[in-house]
Amino acid sequence: MEISELGEFGLIDRLTKSIAFKNPSTILGVGDDAAVLDYGDREVLVTADLLLEGVHFDLRYVPLKHLGYKSAVVNFSDIYAMGGTPRQILVSLGVSSRFTVEHIEELYAGIRLACDVYGVDLVGGDTSASVTGLVINITCLGDVEKGKAWKRSGAQPTDLICVSGDLGAAYMGLQLLERENTVAAQSDKDFQPDFAGKEYILERQLKPEARRDVVEALRKENANPTSMIDVSDGLSSELLHLCKNSNVGCRVYEDKIPIDFQTALMAEEFNMNLVTAAMNGGEDYELLFTVPLVEKEKIDNIKGVSIIGYVTKPELGAMLVSRDSSEIQIKAQGWNSLS
Amino acid sequence: MEISELGEFGLIDRLTKSIAFKNPSTILGVGDDAAVLDYGDREVLVTADLLLEGVHFDLRYVPLKHLGYKSAVVNFSDIYAMGGTPRQILVSLGVSSRFTVEHIEELYAGIRLACDVYGVDLVGGDTSASVTGLVINITCLGDVEKGKAWKRSGAQPTDLICVSGDLGAAYMGLQLLERENTVAAQSDKDFQPDFAGKEYILERQLKPEARRDVVEALRKENANPTSMIDVSDGLSSELLHLCKNSNVGCRVYEDKIPIDFQTALMAEEFNMNLVTAAMNGGEDYELLFTVPLVEKEKIDNIKGVSIIGYVTKPELGAMLVSRDSSEIQIKAQGWNSLS
């Protein structure tokens, strides 16, 4: 169906009808000048992410439903990285004329699936024509106990540096998708990409998850992260953010960086440096954080969290310690669309 | 200066440094995964607007500073239309390579001027490259006393329908800008558009204001609007929203619709129907609201608010009553980028 058959308000009605609220903080959702929310005595967290076709995603190999899911999850990840719980999102969409109602429903199906999985309410947004590509801006609100947000600015020398999950997989998944897409474009139409044994890195790229489980485990252990950030632009970039905001340095050990074997195999196949991929790949949506040294045992109790180094005084700089114990200055070579 | 010289984080630093917070509800602003806000025991309002080059604005005749100002103000208008006070915004920008750092600073100067005028804090957002045109998404948060938000859904039969200011001027300003732009394109480079005597309609298009004063006056008079919406897509469209959300009908009198004389003169010059322009023009950012009949005196006390009709039972439909007392069904012919 052509979107023009429904118009803006018809499309919004169709996309947002049957939304049932999951959070008591959601008082009024889609359909007024603004949504109305009540957070009681908790603090409000708010973050926004802009995703543009041709810059952040390529619809030749990203299904719209996956794109919707990922667009929402990357915002939830920012709320978790503050130690909070995502509660509501607003979705702004700019849609060019090549999209049908069914396309937008696919995208929304992904967004709504993510909302269901993470217990988030869709409460508003804006829907508009676009003369160019697809534009998605998602704003996410969440809450946290007063004064308990985990910022980027509290890391102290001797703190342990921790990261959840593994790194570099989403980046290698992207390399694989781009290669197969190029091959497909040059092959006859019966070409079938071979993704066998590479499901994990593909899923990391196409359908990442936010680490709610890690935040919950940290709260359960009564751990007190002194700083936290989510890994969206690459470990190097995020380490430098923590160091800058906390006015500290760091030592991170190359051999401690968690990497999945599919990531390693793929890097070998592409003849790429594995550590570079893990340090600069981006889109991992893992949590990078620091805890006081005395809390090492609490971290050891949490499955899937690795201690990769420690915080130093600022004058010692931010260094990667290689396998042969030489120190290499960490530089932000990760994702930066404006460089 | 090329944006690539600064990169994303350098640009954000440059645009957001020296931001001093004006609201006690702003706890933490730009520079973390999310902003942190504390609204005490008040309800939170949140709204988002997506503005796309070629759809919502044309940079051939809209200065970037004006565009920034307007982008922020249209969001404040949504918060006022709920009876709230705007407190914070997040700005997501997609910037194509033809823009320099100075261009983006101009845009930001307009956004920050609007924030200063309306007492709003800029607390976050996202900045990215765009392969196409300029993309702006602004999310605005505000607050309101618990249970006191003015929704679209409370209008009752016999309520008076009121509108602030005058209508159609922004639309006529746009017609004028487009005409002069077309003439300029066909003339030699010394062509100077003649805007004398048309300053008001130009300002309404290029630098609209949100009606904070009307909300304050209503609160001061202890008025109790039963419904409210801001006029962004045109009076017809907004009347139908109020009728639909409140399940009522309406009678609006053609001769009561407030129109400035510059708007009327311009409509004559363009040989356009004046009422059509006022009903469907859009971008007025005036407040359309209903109050119980018994509050007529309160409305009479507020300068610049016109009573244009009354609310009826739903089965009587939404009608415009013309000067010769005939009834014409109101249809949404205003701005709808997706039709």
Side-chain angles (χ1 to χ4, degrees):
Chain A
M1 189 194 293
E2 297 291 319
I3 290 172
S4 57
E5 284 180 52
L6 293 175
E8 178 179 351
F9 305 116
L11 180 63
I12 292 172
D13 279 354
R14 184 155 171 153
L15 295 172
T16 61
K17 72 180 174 199
S18 82
I19 289 184
F21 297 141
K22 308 169 197 90
N23 290 291
S25 55
T26 307
I27 309 296
L28 180 71
V30 172
D32 217 304
D33 296 290
V36 182
L37 314 172
D38 185 348
Y39 288 99
D41 57 0
R42 292 171 70 82
E43 282 178 351
V44 180
L45 304 169
V46 59
T47 182
D49 264 300
L50 180 65
L51 298 171
L52 301 172
E53 185 174 351
V55 176
H56 301 94
F57 57 87
D58 187 330
L59 291 175
R60 285 174 303 174
Y61 50 80
V62 178
L64 281 164
K65 189 173 177 183
H66 284 80
L67 178 61
Y69 191 89
K70 183 170 174 174
S71 304
V73 163
V74 301
N75 275 282
F76 304 161
S77 180
D78 279 318
I79 299 294
Y80 289 121
M82 300 296 288
T85 306
R87 301 292 184 189
Q88 289 92 14
I89 56 168
L90 291 88
V91 179
S92 294
L93 284 186
V95 183
S96 59
S97 56
R98 74 177 199 275
F99 292 94
T100 63
V101 171
E102 289 74 18
H103 286 134
I104 304 306
E105 284 182 323
E106 269 296 290
L107 183 72
Y108 250 73
I111 293 171
R112 291 182 63 170
L113 176 61
C115 286
D116 286 342
V117 170
Y118 289 88
V120 172
D121 296 323
L122 197 164
V123 296
D126 196 6
T127 309
S128 161
S130 158
V131 289
T132 52
L134 182 61
V135 174
I136 308 170
N137 189 89
I138 294 190
T139 302
C140 185
L141 293 102
D143 63 0
V144 66
E145 195 183 328
K146 209 164 272 197
K148 298 282 186 183
W150 295 329
K151 301 170 191 172
R152 297 181 180 177
S153 54
Q156 296 286 335
T158 78
D159 282 356
L160 298 172
I161 300 173
C162 311
V163 71
S164 63
D166 59 78
L167 302 175
Y171 178 72
M172 293 317 306
L174 180 63
Q175 302 306 313
L176 176 61
L177 282 166
E178 287 188 341
R179 184 186 71 183
E180 295 299 299
N181 186 61
T182 305
V183 174
Q186 295 160 354
S187 308
D188 61 37
K189 68 180 170 49
D190 292 331
F191 171 80
Q192 284 292 330
D194 181 14
F195 292 142
K198 289 154 184 163
E199 294 81 4
Y200 178 70
I201 60 172
L202 283 179
E203 179 147 338
R204 292 284 284 177
Q205 170 57 227
L206 292 175
K207 191 167 173 287
E209 301 292 347
R211 299 309 303 263
R212 165 172 54 180
D213 58 330
V214 173
V215 173
E216 286 170 356
L218 286 165
R219 296 278 185 213
K220 196 174 152 217
E221 289 290 334
N222 269 314
N224 296 290
T226 49
S227 70
M228 187 179 285
I229 189 170
D230 74 326
V231 182
S232 51
D233 300 330
L235 181 62
S236 299
S237 178
E238 316 307 353
L239 282 167
L240 293 179
H241 279 306
L242 287 192
C243 287
K244 185 183 171 197
N245 286 36
S246 298
N247 189 31
V248 295
C250 71
R251 288 296 172 279
V252 167
Y253 295 90
E254 183 184 331
D255 61 353
K256 303 283 186 194
I257 296 171
I259 296 172
D260 185 80
F261 77 96
Q262 279 192 16
T263 308
L265 285 176
M266 205 67 231
E268 201 172 279
E269 204 176 313
F270 276 108
N271 203 17
M272 293 174 84
N273 184 301
L274 181 57
V275 175
T276 304
M279 289 292 284
N280 301 316
E283 298 199 278
D284 298 306
Y285 301 105
E286 296 295 342
L287 294 174
L288 174 69
F289 57 97
T290 56
V291 292
L293 192 50
V294 294
E295 299 202 352
K296 182 175 182 304
E297 204 174 319
K298 295 179 181 176
I299 300 303
D300 289 339
N301 289 338
I302 303 175
K303 224 179 112 177
V305 170
S306 306
I307 297 171
I308 60 170
Y310 61 94
V311 178
T312 67
K313 292 180 186 167
E315 55 268 29
L316 295 176
M319 300 288 180
L320 180 70
V321 184
S322 68
R323 279 169 220 272
D324 63 4
S325 297
S326 62
E327 293 193 342
I328 305 151
Q329 192 171 345
I330 295 171
K331 288 180 186 161
Q333 292 166 317
W335 170 254
N336 185 332
S337 73
L338 291 173
S339 302
Chain B
M1 188 193 293
E2 296 291 320
I3 291 172
S4 56
E5 285 180 51
L6 293 175
E8 178 179 350
F9 305 117
L11 180 63
I12 292 172
D13 279 354
R14 184 157 170 152
L15 295 171
T16 61
K17 73 179 174 199
S18 81
I19 289 184
F21 296 142
K22 308 169 196 89
N23 290 292
S25 55
T26 308
I27 310 296
L28 181 70
V30 172
D32 216 304
D33 296 290
V36 182
L37 313 172
D38 185 349
Y39 288 99
D41 57 0
R42 292 172 69 83
E43 282 177 351
V44 180
L45 303 169
V46 58
T47 181
D49 264 299
L50 180 65
L51 297 171
L52 301 172
E53 187 174 348
V55 177
H56 301 93
F57 57 87
D58 187 330
L59 291 176
R60 286 175 302 173
Y61 50 80
V62 178
L64 282 164
K65 189 172 176 184
H66 283 80
L67 179 61
Y69 191 89
K70 183 170 173 174
S71 304
V73 163
V74 302
N75 276 280
F76 304 161
S77 179
D78 279 319
I79 300 295
Y80 289 122
M82 300 296 288
T85 306
R87 301 291 186 190
Q88 290 91 15
I89 56 169
L90 292 87
V91 179
S92 294
L93 285 186
V95 182
S96 60
S97 57
R98 74 178 199 274
F99 291 94
T100 63
V101 171
E102 289 75 18
H103 286 133
I104 305 306
E105 285 183 322
E106 269 296 292
L107 183 71
Y108 250 73
I111 294 172
R112 290 182 63 170
L113 176 61
C115 286
D116 287 342
V117 169
Y118 289 89
V120 172
D121 296 324
L122 197 164
V123 298
D126 197 5
T127 309
S128 160
S130 159
V131 288
T132 51
L134 181 62
V135 174
I136 308 171
N137 189 88
I138 294 189
T139 302
C140 186
L141 293 101
D143 62 0
V144 66
E145 195 183 329
K146 209 164 273 197
K148 298 282 186 183
W150 295 330
K151 301 169 191 170
R152 297 180 179 176
S153 54
Q156 296 287 334
T158 79
D159 282 356
L160 298 171
I161 300 174
C162 311
V163 71
S164 63
D166 58 78
L167 302 174
Y171 179 71
M172 292 317 306
L174 180 63
Q175 301 307 312
L176 176 61
L177 282 166
E178 287 188 341
R179 184 186 69 183
E180 295 299 298
N181 185 61
T182 305
V183 175
Q186 294 161 352
S187 310
D188 61 36
K189 67 179 170 52
D190 293 331
F191 171 80
Q192 284 293 330
D194 180 15
F195 292 143
K198 288 153 184 164
E199 294 80 5
Y200 178 70
I201 60 172
L202 283 178
E203 179 147 341
R204 291 283 284 178
Q205 170 58 225
L206 292 174
K207 191 167 174 287
E209 301 292 348
R211 299 309 304 262
R212 164 172 55 179
D213 57 331
V214 173
V215 173
E216 286 170 357
L218 286 165
R219 295 277 185 214
K220 197 174 152 218
E221 291 289 335
N222 269 313
N224 296 289
T226 49
S227 70
M228 187 180 285
I229 189 170
D230 73 327
V231 182
S232 53
D233 300 331
L235 180 62
S236 300
S237 177
E238 316 307 353
L239 281 167
L240 294 179
H241 279 306
L242 287 192
C243 287
K244 185 183 171 196
N245 286 37
S246 298
N247 189 31
V248 295
C250 70
R251 287 294 172 281
V252 167
Y253 295 90
E254 184 183 329
D255 61 353
K256 303 282 185 195
I257 296 172
I259 297 173
D260 185 80
F261 75 97
Q262 280 192 16
T263 308
L265 286 177
M266 205 67 232
E268 201 172 277
E269 204 176 313
F270 276 109
N271 202 17
M272 293 176 83
N273 183 301
L274 181 58
V275 175
T276 304
M279 289 292 285
N280 300 316
E283 296 199 278
D284 299 305
Y285 301 106
E286 296 296 342
L287 295 175
L288 174 70
F289 57 98
T290 56
V291 293
L293 191 52
V294 294
E295 298 203 353
K296 182 174 183 303
E297 204 175 319
K298 295 179 182 177
I299 299 304
D300 289 339
N301 289 338
I302 302 175
K303 224 179 111 176
V305 170
S306 307
I307 297 172
I308 60 170
Y310 61 93
V311 178
T312 67
K313 291 179 185 168
E315 55 269 28
L316 296 177
M319 299 289 179
L320 180 70
V321 183
S322 68
R323 278 167 222 273
D324 63 4
S325 298
S326 62
E327 293 194 343
I328 306 151
Q329 192 170 347
I330 296 172
K331 288 181 186 161
Q333 292 167 319
W335 170 254
N336 185 333
S337 74
L338 291 174
S339 305

